[in-house]
Amino acid sequence: MKHLAAYLLLGIGGNTSPSADDIKGVLSAVGIDADEDRLDKLISELEGKDIQELIAEGSTKLASVPSAGGGGGSATAPSAAAGGGAAAAEEKAPEKEPEKEEESDEDMGFGLFD
């Protein structure tokens, strides 16, 4: 991810085709060492491709992925009912007032740094 983030930062900065040295420069500026294998793979995968087109293509693929499970709704209904019962029980319980701490007279009016 850090290599891709550096690649995208360089793209935003106007470098439409960042090299491995460019990415290493960005990463070293923030104290991160580049992983040569991952960096070489990233450069080979993105070589000659427009990053904006790749992002648009990825967005359409993500749109087709279901983000909410069909079975999740029924599982939450019973737990919500149980949670509602617990909330009703809490409402019935009398509220306890926080106990006030009594000041100690042990210091007899003298402070540590007086």
Side-chain angles (χ1 to χ4, degrees), residues 60-99:
T60 58
K61 287 182 180 180
L62 283 175
S64 66
V65 175
S67 61
S74 63
T76 58
S79 64
E90 288 178 12
E91 290 176 10
K92 292 178 185 177
E95 293 184 23
K96 295 182 181 178
E97 294 181 20
E99 295 180 16

